[in-house]
């Protein structure tokens, strides 16, 4: 028995492709994949067949996922395996390739897979890079880093192997060693790319990347719009608040972060800096952070809105921040518009921003929120449910609005179906 597929032959195309069978006048050809060519887990044609200790052959990708899920048994026989090692099944692979060729243009030929690196090979490459770094041998470092990059891009397995064998620390040492070398830009760019796959890097790796020379070079890449640099800055700031103090001393870092704010990593970095070091808020304000953040709320996806609202909420912790936020005419309309359209996590920040600027304002913010329809939306939010802290802020916002309506005759409150006597008074 074998898996039966239908292939639709498209007229005029250079290569036929496998597609689900459909009812049409087009010529259809049935292809049956022999059972011995199918992976017992997915029943798909195997591309990289490997034998495990039980003697059963699987496609490497599928059996690795099985092992990574914590399983130590053979999926077919359910026997406990003495080892999780996998051996390429060259015989089956050649048979699959020959079968694909025999089908002519009906199937793409299964390519010969590249054998993943072993721990021994990863350690050897790592050792050569470390030795070359200590000698200051730029040429060999470039060679080793390029080799790593090629292997990492070949498969996720190679990435995990490098990561498990301490490559992250060696890359950090290499970056720090060449950070003052003006001619090492390409090497350092590749190191940054590799490092995005190697986190967490440990305290020693972190110490190398947060040295003054390393941080200065990373900020230099950030200024040029390097997304890998933005990612690294975000990761380093999230690891240790002490890194915020180090980064804040690097010339041009504030400007670089604001200019790259469209990268969500930079947005998160700004949040970390303002939260851990509130005095940085003023510097960010001078560079137009509020306007840039508000603009991101207009049409960004949900995950970006979450980060932008976190930043606005952190800004509103200071009097200066709240004043500048109030001065942006788009803030309240955007907040009200998004109340019921964002994630629960984002709602927490949104309500906090609205609460801070309304509670400490002169009443015009409350009136604007009412005019824009915030009252009904906040009531719905309260009825649907939210976290305790957010619930208290929503309740207080509704009470502020209710008082404003009664005092200023904004609306006929007798028409309101909401009774505020039962609302819990915030502590």
């Amino acid at each position: 028995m074998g898996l039966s597929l239908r292939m639709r032959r498209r007229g005029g195309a250079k290569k036929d492709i496998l597609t689900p069978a459909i009812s049409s006048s087009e010529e259809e050809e049935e292809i049956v994949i022999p059972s011995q060519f199918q992976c017992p887990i997915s029943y798909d044609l195997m591309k990289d067949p490997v034998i495990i200790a039980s003697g059963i052959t699987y496609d490497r990708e599928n059996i690795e996922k099985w092992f990574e899920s914590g399983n130590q048994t053979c999926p077919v026989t359910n026997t406990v395996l003495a080892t999780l090692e996998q051996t390429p099944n060259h015989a089956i692979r050649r048979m699959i390739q020959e079968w694909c060729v025999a089908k002519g243009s009906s199937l793409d030929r299964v390519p010969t897979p590249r054998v993943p690196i072993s721990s021994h090979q990863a350690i050897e490459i790592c050792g050569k890079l470390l030795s070359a770094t200590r000698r200051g041998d730029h040429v060999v470092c470039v060679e080793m880093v390029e080799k790593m990059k090629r292997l990492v891009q070949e498969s996720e397995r190679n990435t995990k192997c490098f990561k498990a064998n301490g490559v992250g620390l060696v890359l950090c040492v290499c970056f720090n060693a060449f950070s003052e070398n003006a001619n090492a830009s390409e090497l350092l760019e590749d190191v940054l790319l590799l490092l995005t796959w190697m986190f967490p890097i440990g305290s020693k790796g972190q110490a190398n990347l947060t040295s003054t020379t390393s941080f200065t070079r990373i900020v230099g890449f950030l200024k040029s719009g390097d997304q890998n640099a933005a990612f690294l800055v975000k990761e380093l700031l999230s690891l240790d608040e002490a890194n915020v103090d180090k980064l804040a001393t690097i010339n041009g870092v504030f400007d670089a972060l604001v200019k790259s704010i469209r990268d969500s990593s930079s947005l998160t970095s700004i949040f970390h800096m303002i939260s851990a070091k509130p005095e940085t808020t003023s510097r960010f304000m001078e560079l137009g952070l509020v306007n840039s953040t508000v603009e991101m709320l207009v049409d960004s996806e949900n995950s970006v809105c979450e980060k932008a609202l976190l930043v606005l909420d952190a800004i509103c912790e200071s009097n200066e921040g709240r004043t500048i936020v109030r001065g942006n005419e788009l803030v309240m309309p955007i907040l009200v518009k998004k109340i019921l359209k964002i994630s629960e996590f984002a709602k927490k920040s949104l309500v906090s921003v609205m609460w801070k600027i309304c509670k400490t304002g002169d009443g015009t913010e409350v009136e604007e929120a009412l005019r824009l329809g915030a009252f009904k939306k906040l009531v719905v939010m309260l009825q649907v449910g939210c976290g305790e802290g957010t619930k208290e802020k929503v309740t207080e916002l509704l009470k502020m609005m209710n008082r404003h309506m009664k005092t200023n005759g904004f609306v006929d409150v007798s028409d309101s179906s909401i009774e505020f006597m039962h609302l819990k008074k915030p502590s």
Side-chain angles (χ1 to χ4, degrees):
M1 294 293 292
L3 179 64
S4 177
L5 299 174
R6 282 189 179 276
M7 184 204 71
R8 187 177 73 235
R9 192 181 299 280
R10 292 181 175 174
K14 292 183 178 180
K15 183 186 292 184
D16 295 325
I17 61 172
L18 288 174
T19 63
I22 58 173
S23 298
S24 71
S25 58
E26 296 175 305
E27 178 186 357
E28 290 184 349
E29 178 183 341
E30 186 172 8
I31 297 175
V32 179
I33 299 178
S35 58
Q36 66 269 32
F37 296 165
Q38 300 169 31
C39 175
I41 295 176
S42 66
Y43 297 103
D44 290 331
L45 181 68
M46 291 187 286
K47 296 179 180 180
D48 187 5
V50 293
I51 305 172
I52 63 172
S54 64
I56 306 295
T57 297
Y58 297 90
D59 195 42
R60 187 188 297 275
E61 181 181 359
N62 294 324
I63 194 62
E64 283 185 349
K65 288 180 179 177
W66 172 263
F67 291 150
E68 288 169 4
S69 297
N71 299 299
Q72 297 185 352
T73 58
C74 172
V76 171
T77 65
N78 204 34
T79 55
V80 177
L81 301 171
T83 174
L84 303 184
E85 288 296 316
Q86 304 146 41
T87 305
N89 192 330
H90 298 299
I92 286 292
R93 176 178 53 75
R94 283 192 293 269
M95 291 169 65
I96 291 174
Q97 290 176 330
E98 291 169 0
W99 178 77
C100 290
V101 171
K103 292 297 177 181
S105 61
S106 300
L107 285 170
D108 289 334
R109 185 176 184 271
V110 174
T112 301
R114 296 183 182 275
V115 179
I117 61 169
S118 64
S119 292
H120 174 76
Q121 290 172 311
I123 292 171
E124 183 180 14
I125 295 171
C126 184
K128 288 181 178 179
L129 176 60
L130 184 57
S131 296
T133 297
R134 287 171 175 168
R135 296 194 309 270
D137 192 333
H138 179 263
V139 174
V140 174
C141 284
V142 168
E143 180 185 344
M144 290 300 103
V145 168
E146 286 183 347
K147 187 173 185 178
M148 283 186 189
K149 188 169 71 168
R150 174 176 57 78
L151 289 168
V152 163
Q153 291 172 339
E154 277 182 9
S155 73
E156 186 178 352
R157 181 185 173 92
N158 288 346
T159 304
K160 291 178 179 178
C161 185
F162 275 129
K163 187 175 179 179
N165 286 284
V167 168
L169 173 57
V170 177
L171 288 169
C172 293
V173 171
C174 180
F175 190 94
N176 190 38
F178 286 92
S179 59
E180 292 185 277
N181 188 329
N183 299 315
S185 292
E186 290 187 15
L187 168 63
L188 296 178
E189 281 184 31
D190 285 343
V191 171
L192 285 180
L193 172 63
L194 288 169
L195 280 171
T196 61
W197 287 306
M198 299 299 159
F199 274 81
I201 55 174
S203 58
K204 291 182 179 179
Q206 188 182 159
N208 276 276
L209 283 186
T210 57
S211 69
T212 301
T213 55
S214 287
F215 246 160
T216 300
R217 200 62 185 264
I218 292 173
V219 169
F221 284 117
L222 183 63
K223 289 177 182 178
S224 65
D226 190 302
Q227 292 183 327
N228 296 322
F231 174 83
L232 252 67
V233 170
K234 178 198 73 171
E235 291 297 311
L236 290 169
L237 295 186
S238 65
L239 288 172
D240 190 344
E241 284 191 4
N243 292 335
V244 172
D245 291 324
K246 294 180 182 180
L247 184 63
T249 65
I250 305 301
N251 184 41
V253 65
F254 294 97
D255 188 56
L257 286 170
V258 174
K259 284 185 177 178
S260 61
I261 198 171
R262 283 285 169 184
D263 188 313
S264 61
S265 292
S266 290
L267 199 57
T268 303
S269 294
I270 291 171
F271 168 72
H272 285 309
M273 290 193 73
I274 293 176
S275 300
K277 199 174 177 66
E279 57 268 32
T280 61
T281 304
S282 296
R283 183 70 184 109
F284 279 122
M285 297 301 96
E286 293 170 4
L287 295 168
L289 176 61
V290 169
N291 291 343
S292 298
T293 306
V294 171
E295 286 174 9
M296 292 189 70
L297 287 171
V298 176
D299 55 3
S300 297
E301 60 183 22
N302 206 29
S303 62
V304 177
C305 282
E306 289 178 356
K307 296 177 177 65
L309 286 167
L310 276 173
V311 170
L312 275 184
D313 191 27
I315 290 171
C316 287
E317 282 293 311
S318 68
N319 288 328
E320 178 190 8
R322 289 191 293 271
T323 299
I324 295 176
V325 170
R326 287 194 196 95
N328 188 301
E329 296 180 352
L330 290 176
V331 169
M332 192 59 76
I334 290 175
L335 293 180
V336 174
K337 181 179 179 180
K338 289 187 173 289
I339 289 176
L340 301 177
K341 296 182 178 181
I342 53 179
S343 67
E344 290 304 311
F345 182 78
K347 286 177 184 176
K348 179 181 178 181
S349 299
L350 183 150
V351 168
S352 181
V353 172
M354 188 178 289
W355 177 77
K356 286 172 182 175
I357 60 178
C358 285
K359 187 176 178 64
T360 60
D362 60 5
T364 57
E365 298 80 14
V366 175
E367 183 174 337
E368 183 182 14
L370 276 167
R371 179 174 55 79
L372 292 167
F375 186 88
K376 291 181 179 179
K377 290 183 178 182
L378 288 172
V379 168
V380 171
M381 186 176 175
L382 196 61
Q383 291 174 333
V384 170
C386 49
E388 191 61 32
T390 302
K391 181 179 178 181
E392 289 183 0
K393 288 183 174 68
V394 170
T395 300
E396 191 168 351
L397 278 168
L398 288 171
K399 287 184 175 181
M400 280 189 272
M401 292 178 186
N402 195 43
R403 285 195 296 270
H404 188 88
M405 288 188 288
K406 288 180 177 178
T407 303
N408 299 285
F410 192 83
V411 294
D412 183 1
V413 293
S414 64
D415 292 336
S416 174
S417 61
I418 305 301
E419 176 59 57
F420 285 90
M421 294 297 291
H422 70 282
L423 294 180
K424 179 182 177 181
K425 183 178 180 180
S427 55

